[in-house]
Amino acid sequence: MIVGVPKEIAEGEQRVALVPDAIKALKEAGLESVVESGAGLAAGFDDAAYEAVGARIEADANAVLAADIVVKVQPPQKRADGSDELEGLRKGGVLVSFLRPLDEPGLAARLAQQGVTAFSMELMPRITRAQSMDALSSQATIAGYRAVLLAAASLPKIFPMLVTAAGTLQPARVFVIGAGVAGLQAIATARRLGAVVEAYDTRPAVREQVESIGARFVELDLDTGDSEDAGGYAKAQTEEFYQRQRQELGKRLANQDVVITTALVPGQRAPLLIDEDAVKGMRTGSVIVDLAAEKGGNCACTVPEQETVAHGVHIIPGTNLPSEIPANASQMYAKNLTTFLKHLAPEGELVLDLGDEITSGAMLAHEGAIANERVRAMVESEGTG
Ligand code: NAD
Protein backbone atom coordinates (compact mmCIF):
# COMPACT_ATOMS: atom_id res chain seq x y z
CA MET A 1 0.00 0.00 0.00
CA ILE A 2 1.26 3.44 -0.92
CA VAL A 3 0.30 6.58 0.98
CA GLY A 4 0.31 9.80 -1.08
CA VAL A 5 1.03 13.22 0.46
CA PRO A 6 0.16 16.03 -1.98
CA LYS A 7 1.27 19.60 -1.46
CA GLU A 8 -1.62 21.60 0.01
CA ILE A 9 -2.88 24.15 -2.50
CA ALA A 10 -5.56 25.94 -0.48
CA GLU A 11 -4.68 29.61 -0.08
CA GLY A 12 -2.59 30.30 3.01
CA GLU A 13 -2.34 26.63 4.03
CA GLN A 14 1.16 25.91 5.32
CA ARG A 15 0.60 22.55 6.95
CA VAL A 16 1.45 19.18 5.46
CA ALA A 17 -0.45 15.97 6.23
CA LEU A 18 2.58 13.85 7.12
CA VAL A 19 5.90 14.97 8.61
CA PRO A 20 9.06 12.84 8.06
CA ASP A 21 8.77 11.11 11.47
CA ALA A 22 5.28 9.96 10.54
CA ILE A 23 6.51 8.59 7.21
CA LYS A 24 9.06 6.57 9.16
CA ALA A 25 6.39 5.23 11.52
CA LEU A 26 4.21 4.21 8.56
CA LYS A 27 7.13 2.47 6.86
CA GLU A 28 7.70 0.43 10.01
CA ALA A 29 4.01 -0.51 9.83
CA GLY A 30 4.41 -1.70 6.23
CA LEU A 31 3.11 1.40 4.40
CA GLU A 32 5.27 3.13 1.77
CA SER A 33 4.90 6.86 1.00
CA VAL A 34 5.08 9.14 -1.99
CA VAL A 35 5.37 12.86 -1.22
CA GLU A 36 4.86 15.68 -3.70
CA SER A 37 7.99 17.76 -4.10
CA GLY A 38 7.84 20.79 -1.78
CA ALA A 39 4.84 19.46 0.20
CA GLY A 40 6.48 20.06 3.57
CA LEU A 41 8.53 23.16 2.80
CA ALA A 42 6.20 25.74 4.36
CA ALA A 43 6.12 23.65 7.54
CA GLY A 44 9.91 23.38 7.66
CA PHE A 45 10.43 19.93 6.11
CA ASP A 46 12.31 19.81 2.81
CA ASP A 47 12.30 17.00 0.25
CA ALA A 48 15.63 15.69 1.57
CA ALA A 49 14.11 15.18 5.04
CA TYR A 50 11.40 12.99 3.49
CA GLU A 51 13.86 11.11 1.30
CA ALA A 52 16.02 10.42 4.34
CA VAL A 53 13.17 8.41 5.90
CA GLY A 54 12.46 6.47 2.72
CA ALA A 55 9.71 8.49 1.00
CA ARG A 56 9.69 8.78 -2.78
CA ILE A 57 9.53 12.40 -3.95
CA GLU A 58 7.25 13.01 -6.91
CA ALA A 59 6.94 16.21 -8.93
CA ASP A 60 3.54 15.40 -10.48
CA ALA A 61 0.63 16.12 -8.13
CA ASN A 62 -1.70 13.76 -9.98
CA ALA A 63 0.75 10.88 -9.55
CA VAL A 64 0.59 11.49 -5.78
CA LEU A 65 -3.22 11.75 -5.80
CA ALA A 66 -3.40 8.38 -7.56
CA ALA A 67 -1.84 6.59 -4.53
CA ASP A 68 -3.81 3.86 -2.72
CA ILE A 69 -4.36 6.13 0.28
CA VAL A 70 -4.17 9.92 -0.03
CA VAL A 71 -3.77 12.02 3.11
CA LYS A 72 -4.48 15.75 3.09
CA VAL A 73 -5.06 18.66 5.41
CA GLN A 74 -7.64 20.64 3.42
CA PRO A 75 -10.50 19.15 1.36
CA PRO A 76 -9.73 18.67 -2.36
CA GLN A 77 -9.49 22.03 -4.08
CA LYS A 78 -9.88 23.49 -7.52
CA ARG A 79 -6.58 24.49 -9.10
CA ALA A 80 -5.88 27.81 -10.82
CA ASP A 81 -6.02 26.04 -14.23
CA GLY A 82 -9.60 24.91 -13.54
CA SER A 83 -8.72 21.27 -12.83
CA ASP A 84 -9.67 19.74 -9.50
CA GLU A 85 -7.63 17.68 -7.05
CA LEU A 86 -10.68 15.46 -6.63
CA GLU A 87 -10.48 14.32 -10.26
CA GLY A 88 -6.99 12.95 -9.58
CA LEU A 89 -8.23 10.58 -6.86
CA ARG A 90 -8.45 6.97 -7.91
CA LYS A 91 -11.72 5.00 -8.01
CA GLY A 92 -11.50 2.57 -5.11
CA GLY A 93 -8.77 4.68 -3.49
CA VAL A 94 -8.91 6.06 0.04
CA LEU A 95 -8.80 9.72 1.07
CA VAL A 96 -8.25 10.82 4.67
CA SER A 97 -8.52 14.56 5.32
CA PHE A 98 -10.47 17.35 6.91
CA LEU A 99 -13.50 17.38 4.58
CA ARG A 100 -15.91 19.87 6.23
CA PRO A 101 -18.76 17.34 5.98
CA LEU A 102 -21.45 19.41 7.68
CA ASP A 103 -20.43 22.65 5.96
CA GLU A 104 -19.90 21.24 2.46
CA PRO A 105 -22.05 18.10 2.23
CA GLY A 106 -21.93 18.33 -1.59
CA LEU A 107 -18.28 17.24 -1.48
CA ALA A 108 -19.32 13.93 0.11
CA ALA A 109 -21.64 13.33 -2.83
CA ARG A 110 -18.86 14.05 -5.32
CA LEU A 111 -16.44 11.75 -3.50
CA ALA A 112 -19.05 9.00 -3.50
CA GLN A 113 -19.69 9.51 -7.22
CA GLN A 114 -15.98 9.21 -7.89
CA GLY A 115 -15.92 5.88 -6.02
CA VAL A 116 -13.50 7.14 -3.38
CA THR A 117 -13.60 5.77 0.16
CA ALA A 118 -13.30 8.98 2.14
CA PHE A 119 -12.67 9.45 5.86
CA SER A 120 -13.32 12.84 7.38
CA MET A 121 -11.18 13.74 10.37
CA GLU A 122 -14.03 15.93 11.66
CA LEU A 123 -16.19 12.83 12.05
CA MET A 124 -13.71 10.96 14.25
CA PRO A 125 -15.70 9.72 17.25
CA ARG A 126 -14.72 11.43 20.50
CA ILE A 127 -14.10 8.27 22.45
CA THR A 128 -11.09 7.43 24.56
CA ARG A 129 -9.86 4.81 22.07
CA ALA A 130 -9.77 7.43 19.29
CA GLN A 131 -8.16 10.23 21.32
CA SER A 132 -4.81 9.98 19.52
CA MET A 133 -6.66 10.24 16.17
CA ASP A 134 -8.63 13.34 17.19
CA ALA A 135 -7.37 16.01 14.81
CA LEU A 136 -10.00 18.59 15.78
CA SER A 137 -8.50 18.58 19.27
CA SER A 138 -4.86 18.62 18.17
CA GLN A 139 -5.43 21.56 15.84
CA ALA A 140 -7.63 23.41 18.35
CA THR A 141 -4.76 23.20 20.84
CA ILE A 142 -2.51 25.09 18.43
CA ALA A 143 -5.28 27.58 17.58
CA GLY A 144 -5.87 28.41 21.25
CA TYR A 145 -2.16 29.10 21.79
CA ARG A 146 -1.85 31.19 18.65
CA ALA A 147 -4.95 33.25 19.50
CA VAL A 148 -3.31 34.48 22.69
CA LEU A 149 -0.09 35.43 20.87
CA LEU A 150 -2.08 37.42 18.32
CA ALA A 151 -3.95 39.21 21.09
CA ALA A 152 -0.72 39.92 22.99
CA ALA A 153 0.90 41.37 19.87
CA SER A 154 -2.08 43.68 19.24
CA LEU A 155 -2.76 44.83 22.78
CA PRO A 156 -1.16 48.19 23.66
CA LYS A 157 -0.22 46.67 27.05
CA ILE A 158 1.91 43.81 28.27
CA PHE A 159 0.36 40.71 29.88
CA PRO A 160 2.29 40.30 33.16
CA MET A 161 2.24 42.55 36.18
CA LEU A 162 5.51 44.47 36.46
CA VAL A 163 6.76 46.39 39.45
CA THR A 164 9.57 48.65 38.26
CA ALA A 165 11.33 51.86 39.22
CA ALA A 166 9.22 53.49 36.49
CA GLY A 167 6.03 52.43 38.18
CA THR A 168 3.75 49.42 38.47
CA LEU A 169 2.07 47.89 35.43
CA GLN A 170 -1.15 46.03 36.11
CA PRO A 171 -1.55 42.58 34.52
CA ALA A 172 -3.75 42.30 31.43
CA ARG A 173 -7.21 40.89 31.98
CA VAL A 174 -8.18 38.10 29.59
CA PHE A 175 -11.66 36.61 29.25
CA VAL A 176 -12.08 33.30 27.40
CA ILE A 177 -15.55 32.37 26.20
CA GLY A 178 -15.88 28.65 25.44
CA ALA A 179 -13.52 26.50 27.49
CA GLY A 180 -13.21 23.51 25.15
CA VAL A 181 -9.89 22.35 23.75
CA ALA A 182 -8.91 25.70 22.16
CA GLY A 183 -10.24 27.72 25.10
CA LEU A 184 -8.34 25.71 27.70
CA GLN A 185 -5.10 26.12 25.75
CA ALA A 186 -5.79 29.85 25.42
CA ILE A 187 -6.30 30.08 29.19
CA ALA A 188 -3.06 28.19 29.89
CA THR A 189 -1.09 30.35 27.43
CA ALA A 190 -2.48 33.64 28.78
CA ARG A 191 -1.70 32.50 32.33
CA ARG A 192 1.88 31.63 31.35
CA LEU A 193 2.25 35.16 29.99
CA GLY A 194 1.07 36.51 33.33
CA ALA A 195 -2.46 37.68 32.56
CA VAL A 196 -5.36 37.46 34.98
CA VAL A 197 -7.75 35.07 33.26
CA GLU A 198 -11.47 34.42 33.56
CA ALA A 199 -13.45 31.94 31.50
CA TYR A 200 -17.01 30.93 30.80
CA ASP A 201 -18.70 27.97 29.11
CA THR A 202 -22.25 26.70 28.94
CA ARG A 203 -21.03 23.25 29.98
CA PRO A 204 -20.64 23.44 33.77
CA ALA A 205 -18.47 20.31 33.57
CA VAL A 206 -15.50 22.43 32.50
CA ARG A 207 -15.40 24.55 35.68
CA GLU A 208 -12.90 22.23 37.34
CA GLN A 209 -10.62 22.18 34.28
CA VAL A 210 -10.69 25.98 34.07
CA GLU A 211 -9.83 26.34 37.74
CA SER A 212 -7.10 23.71 37.60
CA ILE A 213 -5.12 25.85 35.12
CA GLY A 214 -5.38 28.99 37.18
CA ALA A 215 -8.37 30.86 35.75
CA ARG A 216 -11.58 31.93 37.47
CA PHE A 217 -14.75 30.31 36.15
CA VAL A 218 -17.46 32.90 35.62
CA GLU A 219 -21.05 31.92 36.39
CA LEU A 220 -23.79 33.71 34.48
CA ASP A 221 -27.30 33.93 35.78
CA LEU A 222 -28.63 31.53 33.12
CA ASP A 223 -30.14 28.09 33.24
CA THR A 224 -27.87 25.97 31.04
CA GLY A 225 -29.67 22.75 32.04
CA ASP A 226 -28.87 19.96 29.65
CA SER A 227 -25.97 21.66 27.86
CA GLU A 228 -23.79 18.77 26.74
CA ASP A 229 -24.45 16.00 24.20
CA ALA A 230 -23.22 12.40 24.42
CA GLY A 231 -20.02 13.30 22.51
CA GLY A 232 -19.04 16.01 25.02
CA TYR A 233 -20.01 18.81 22.62
CA ALA A 234 -22.22 21.77 23.53
CA LYS A 235 -25.88 21.52 22.57
CA ALA A 236 -27.52 24.39 20.71
CA GLN A 237 -29.57 26.68 22.96
CA THR A 238 -32.68 28.69 22.13
CA GLU A 239 -32.42 32.19 20.64
CA GLU A 240 -33.96 33.52 23.85
CA PHE A 241 -31.11 31.93 25.81
CA TYR A 242 -28.49 33.45 23.52
CA GLN A 243 -30.12 36.86 23.89
CA ARG A 244 -29.90 36.67 27.69
CA GLN A 245 -26.39 35.34 27.41
CA ARG A 246 -25.32 38.31 25.27
CA GLN A 247 -26.76 40.69 27.87
CA GLU A 248 -25.01 38.95 30.76
CA LEU A 249 -21.70 38.61 28.93
CA GLY A 250 -21.83 42.24 27.78
CA LYS A 251 -21.66 43.34 31.43
CA ARG A 252 -18.51 41.29 32.00
CA LEU A 253 -16.57 42.50 28.98
CA ALA A 254 -16.32 46.16 29.89
CA ASN A 255 -13.29 45.70 32.14
CA GLN A 256 -11.38 43.14 30.02
CA ASP A 257 -8.33 43.86 27.87
CA VAL A 258 -8.59 40.75 25.75
CA VAL A 259 -11.55 38.54 24.89
CA ILE A 260 -10.97 35.22 23.15
CA THR A 261 -14.07 33.48 21.89
CA THR A 262 -14.12 29.83 20.84
CA ALA A 263 -17.79 28.87 21.19
CA LEU A 264 -18.99 26.39 18.61
CA VAL A 265 -21.94 24.06 18.23
CA PRO A 266 -21.25 21.24 15.74
CA GLY A 267 -23.04 21.58 12.40
CA GLN A 268 -24.47 25.02 13.17
CA ARG A 269 -23.57 28.66 12.80
CA ALA A 270 -21.44 29.72 15.77
CA PRO A 271 -23.60 31.24 18.53
CA LEU A 272 -23.57 35.05 18.54
CA LEU A 273 -22.34 35.93 22.03
CA ILE A 274 -20.99 39.48 21.76
CA ASP A 275 -23.30 42.07 20.21
CA GLU A 276 -22.31 45.50 18.99
CA ASP A 277 -23.38 47.15 22.26
CA ALA A 278 -20.99 44.92 24.19
CA VAL A 279 -18.16 45.92 21.85
CA LYS A 280 -19.09 49.59 22.36
CA GLY A 281 -18.87 49.03 26.10
CA MET A 282 -15.30 47.72 25.90
CA ARG A 283 -12.22 49.88 26.52
CA THR A 284 -10.48 51.54 23.58
CA GLY A 285 -7.47 49.47 22.55
CA SER A 286 -8.83 46.19 23.86
CA VAL A 287 -8.72 43.12 21.61
CA ILE A 288 -11.17 40.40 20.61
CA VAL A 289 -9.86 37.26 18.90
CA ASP A 290 -12.81 35.37 17.42
CA LEU A 291 -11.88 31.73 16.84
CA ALA A 292 -15.40 31.02 15.60
CA ALA A 293 -14.94 33.44 12.66
CA GLU A 294 -15.05 30.64 10.07
CA LYS A 295 -18.45 29.55 11.40
CA GLY A 296 -19.99 33.00 11.31
CA GLY A 297 -18.25 34.42 14.40
CA ASN A 298 -19.13 34.76 18.09
CA CYS A 299 -18.90 38.54 17.82
CA ALA A 300 -21.28 40.67 15.75
CA CYS A 301 -18.42 42.94 14.62
CA THR A 302 -16.11 40.17 13.34
CA VAL A 303 -15.28 40.48 9.65
CA PRO A 304 -14.18 37.11 8.23
CA GLU A 305 -10.52 37.00 7.23
CA GLN A 306 -9.94 40.66 7.97
CA GLU A 307 -8.67 42.42 11.08
CA THR A 308 -10.81 45.42 11.87
CA VAL A 309 -11.29 48.08 14.53
CA ALA A 310 -14.87 48.56 15.74
CA HIS A 311 -15.66 51.21 18.37
CA GLY A 312 -11.97 51.35 19.26
CA VAL A 313 -11.75 47.57 19.79
CA HIS A 314 -9.31 45.59 17.68
CA ILE A 315 -11.11 42.53 16.28
CA ILE A 316 -9.07 39.63 14.92
CA PRO A 317 -10.79 36.76 13.13
CA GLY A 318 -8.96 33.56 14.06
CA THR A 319 -9.13 31.89 10.67
CA ASN A 320 -7.00 28.77 10.17
CA LEU A 321 -4.64 29.62 13.03
CA PRO A 322 -3.08 26.11 13.13
CA SER A 323 -1.57 26.88 9.72
CA GLU A 324 0.33 29.78 11.31
CA ILE A 325 2.31 27.32 13.47
CA PRO A 326 2.73 24.78 10.69
CA ALA A 327 5.57 22.63 12.05
CA ASN A 328 3.86 21.62 15.29
CA ALA A 329 0.36 21.62 13.82
CA SER A 330 1.57 19.24 11.07
CA GLN A 331 3.46 17.12 13.58
CA MET A 332 0.32 16.63 15.67
CA TYR A 333 -1.96 16.13 12.67
CA ALA A 334 0.49 13.59 11.21
CA LYS A 335 0.39 11.67 14.49
CA ASN A 336 -3.42 11.65 14.34
CA LEU A 337 -3.28 10.39 10.75
CA THR A 338 -0.67 7.67 11.31
CA THR A 339 -2.56 6.29 14.30
CA PHE A 340 -5.71 6.19 12.17
CA LEU A 341 -3.93 4.65 9.16
CA LYS A 342 -2.46 1.95 11.37
CA HIS A 343 -5.97 1.34 12.65
CA LEU A 344 -7.24 0.94 9.06
CA ALA A 345 -4.26 -1.13 7.90
CA PRO A 346 -2.86 -2.92 10.95
CA GLU A 347 -0.72 -5.34 8.89
CA GLY A 348 0.13 -2.91 6.08
CA GLU A 349 -3.02 -3.83 4.10
CA LEU A 350 -6.39 -2.07 4.37
CA VAL A 351 -9.00 -4.02 6.31
CA LEU A 352 -12.12 -1.90 6.52
CA ASP A 353 -14.12 -3.26 9.43
CA LEU A 354 -17.45 -1.47 9.04
CA GLY A 355 -18.53 -2.82 12.41
CA ASP A 356 -15.77 -0.83 14.09
CA GLU A 357 -16.91 2.42 15.72
CA ILE A 358 -13.82 4.38 14.64
CA THR A 359 -13.75 3.17 11.02
CA SER A 360 -17.49 3.58 10.43
CA GLY A 361 -17.70 6.78 12.50
CA ALA A 362 -15.09 8.63 10.45
CA MET A 363 -16.28 7.24 7.10
CA LEU A 364 -17.87 9.83 4.83
CA ALA A 365 -18.10 8.00 1.49
CA HIS A 366 -17.72 4.35 0.54
CA GLU A 367 -18.60 2.17 -2.46
CA GLY A 368 -20.36 4.94 -4.34
CA ALA A 369 -22.53 6.13 -1.47
CA ILE A 370 -22.39 8.72 1.31
CA ALA A 371 -21.57 6.70 4.41
CA ASN A 372 -22.59 9.24 7.05
CA GLU A 373 -26.31 9.40 7.76
CA ARG A 374 -26.45 13.06 8.79
CA VAL A 375 -24.51 14.20 5.71
CA ARG A 376 -26.62 11.97 3.44
CA ALA A 377 -29.79 13.55 4.83
CA MET A 378 -28.34 17.03 4.24
CA VAL A 379 -27.47 16.20 0.64
CA GLU A 380 -30.89 14.69 0.01
CA SER A 381 -32.68 17.71 1.45
CA GLU A 382 -30.48 20.08 -0.60
CA GLY A 383 -31.05 17.98 -3.72
CA THR A 384 -27.33 18.03 -4.48
CA GLY A 385 -26.87 14.26 -4.48
P1 NAD B 1 -16.11 22.97 20.26
O1 NAD B 1 -14.94 23.45 19.48
O2 NAD B 1 -17.27 22.39 19.55
O3 NAD B 1 -16.67 24.19 21.16
C1 NAD B 1 -15.79 25.00 21.92
C2 NAD B 1 -16.42 25.30 23.27
O4 NAD B 1 -17.46 26.25 23.12
C3 NAD B 1 -17.03 24.10 23.98
O5 NAD B 1 -16.42 23.95 25.25
C4 NAD B 1 -18.50 24.47 24.10
O6 NAD B 1 -19.10 23.97 25.30
C5 NAD B 1 -18.43 25.97 24.11
N1 NAD B 1 -19.71 26.65 23.80
C6 NAD B 1 -20.65 26.33 22.89
N2 NAD B 1 -21.68 27.19 22.93
C7 NAD B 1 -21.37 28.10 23.90
C8 NAD B 1 -22.03 29.24 24.43
N3 NAD B 1 -23.22 29.63 23.97
N4 NAD B 1 -21.43 29.94 25.42
C9 NAD B 1 -20.22 29.54 25.90
N5 NAD B 1 -19.55 28.48 25.46
C10 NAD B 1 -20.12 27.75 24.47
O7 NAD B 1 -15.66 21.92 21.35
P2 NAD B 1 -14.27 21.17 21.57
O8 NAD B 1 -13.34 22.09 22.25
O9 NAD B 1 -13.82 20.53 20.31
O10 NAD B 1 -14.70 20.01 22.56
C11 NAD B 1 -15.56 20.22 23.63
C12 NAD B 1 -15.35 19.13 24.66
O11 NAD B 1 -15.48 17.82 24.10
C13 NAD B 1 -13.98 19.12 25.29
O12 NAD B 1 -13.79 20.09 26.24
C14 NAD B 1 -13.99 17.73 25.90
O13 NAD B 1 -14.69 17.71 27.12
C15 NAD B 1 -14.77 16.93 24.91
N6 NAD B 1 -13.83 16.13 24.10
C16 NAD B 1 -13.73 14.80 24.37
C17 NAD B 1 -12.82 14.03 23.66
C18 NAD B 1 -12.67 12.56 23.95
O14 NAD B 1 -13.27 12.06 24.86
N7 NAD B 1 -11.91 11.83 23.15
C19 NAD B 1 -12.04 14.58 22.66
C20 NAD B 1 -12.16 15.95 22.41
C21 NAD B 1 -13.06 16.70 23.14
Side-chain angles (χ1 to χ4, degrees), residues 33 273 306:
S33 306
L273 305 179
Q306 199 186 321

Side-chain angles (χ1 to χ4, degrees), residues 62-92:
N62 278 326
V64 177
L65 290 167
D68 303 310
I69 304 173
V70 172
V71 288
K72 281 185 57 42
V73 179
Q74 295 286 348
Q77 309 278 314
K78 263 206 167 4
R79 299 196 185 92
D81 66 4
S83 66
D84 196 317
E85 286 184 307
L86 194 141
E87 292 156 8
L89 297 171
R90 191 154 71 64
K91 184 167 190 249

